[in-house]
């Protein structure tokens, strides 16, 4: 091996080490959380990014996050972080403001059918969780009502002998009345169903 080949090998070795360390460093910016309070997640993001978060800590108590956040791409990660909460955000330069929007009026509508037969399910329960509000499907399996709620309001669609469907009002597309296909709950087959 001559002198020039030795320099080339050293150069390639240093280049390889530099590239590998950059890849490892970049991968280290993806943070994983498992049922951690929003306050702690935001504190971690402030430490690992150039952003300052502005929020009321008392409002965030009781909300948790599970999943991954890319600290290198905060703008795309924040909606996922706040998805299960009633909070929204605005970014101005290096400051992220987290706030609670006013409630909006949502149109909750759709048609409920059996997943296999595609027959309408009559008198399906549509329950707006923790509010005492809701509706039932009509003779065609359809339902339609308005609801004043925060974006994270959960709704369950249930019918005896079928698996419950759940969604949040923020998942509703404007003026979209989707078809909800309910599947039979196989766990109930062969068991007694007691109706009181």
């Amino acid at each position: 091996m001559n002198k020039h080949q030795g320099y080339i090998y050293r150069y390639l070795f240093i280049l390889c080490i530099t590239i590998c360390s950059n890849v490892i460093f970049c991968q280290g910016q993806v943070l994983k959380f498992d049922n951690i309070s929003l306050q702690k997640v935001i504190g971690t993001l402030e430490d690992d990014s150039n952003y300052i978060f502005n929020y009321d800590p008392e409002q965030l108590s009781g909300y948790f996050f599970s999943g991954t956040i890319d600290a290198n791409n905060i703008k795309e990660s924040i909606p996922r972080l706040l998805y299960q909460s009633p909070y929204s955000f605005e970014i101005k330069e290096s400051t992220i403001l987290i706030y609670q929007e006013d409630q909006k009026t949502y149109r909750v509508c759709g048609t409920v059918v059996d997943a296999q037969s595609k027959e309408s399910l009559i008198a399906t329960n549509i329950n707006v969780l923790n509010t005492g509000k809701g509706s039932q499907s009509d003779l065609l399996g359809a339902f339609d009502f308005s609801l004043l709620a925060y974006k994270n309001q959960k709704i369950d669609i249930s019918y005896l002998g079928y698996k419950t469907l759940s969604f949040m009002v923020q998942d509703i597309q404007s003026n979209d009345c989707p078809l909800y296909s309910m599947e039979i709950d196989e766990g109930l087959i062969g068991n007694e169903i007691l109706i009181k």
Side-chain angles (χ1 to χ4, degrees), residues 83-178:
Y83 181 76
Q84 297 275 347
S85 76
Y87 302 106
S88 294
F89 72 99
E90 287 181 19
I91 298 178
K92 292 186 179 176
E93 296 175 10
S94 63
T95 302
I96 298 175
L97 173 65
I98 296 177
Y99 62 95
Q100 186 171 6
E101 287 185 328
D102 292 335
Q103 293 181 329
K104 294 181 186 176
T105 301
Y106 293 89
R107 180 181 181 204
V108 182
C109 61
T111 303
V112 186
V113 297
D114 179 278
Q116 291 181 339
S117 69
K118 303 299 181 198
E119 291 183 24
S120 299
L121 295 178
I122 301 167
T124 304
N125 293 311
I126 294 85
N127 181 24
V128 181
L129 296 182
N130 303 319
T131 66
K133 298 177 183 175
S135 183
Q136 284 190 326
S137 60
D138 61 17
L139 295 174
L140 300 174
F143 62 92
D144 193 345
F145 63 96
S146 293
L147 176 67
L148 182 66
Y150 293 111
K151 69 179 179 73
N152 68 322
Q153 177 61 60
K154 293 182 181 176
I155 297 176
D156 280 353
I157 300 176
S158 61
Y159 196 76
L160 187 62
Y162 287 82
K163 294 179 183 175
T164 299
L165 300 175
S166 298
F167 60 92
M168 282 190 254
V169 293
Q170 66 184 329
D171 298 329
I172 298 171
Q173 303 298 319
S174 59
N175 296 323
D176 184 21
C177 292

Side-chain angles (χ1 to χ4, degrees), residues 15-69:
L15 181 64
C16 183
I17 293 292
T18 305
I19 290 172
C20 289
S21 64
N22 284 338
V23 168
I24 290 169
F25 176 75
C26 290
Q27 287 177 347
Q29 294 299 320
V30 175
L31 308 169
K32 185 173 183 179
F33 301 95
D34 186 21
N35 203 31
I36 304 297
S37 72
L38 283 184
Q39 287 177 274
K40 288 184 180 178
V41 173
I42 289 171
T44 302
L45 291 177
E46 279 185 319
D47 293 341
D48 289 353
S49 72
N50 295 325
Y51 288 98
I52 297 169
F53 287 78
N54 187 357
Y55 64 95
D56 180 358
E58 288 182 20
Q59 284 188 333
L60 295 185
S61 64
Y63 292 98
F64 298 87
F65 175 74
S66 294
T68 58
I69 297 287

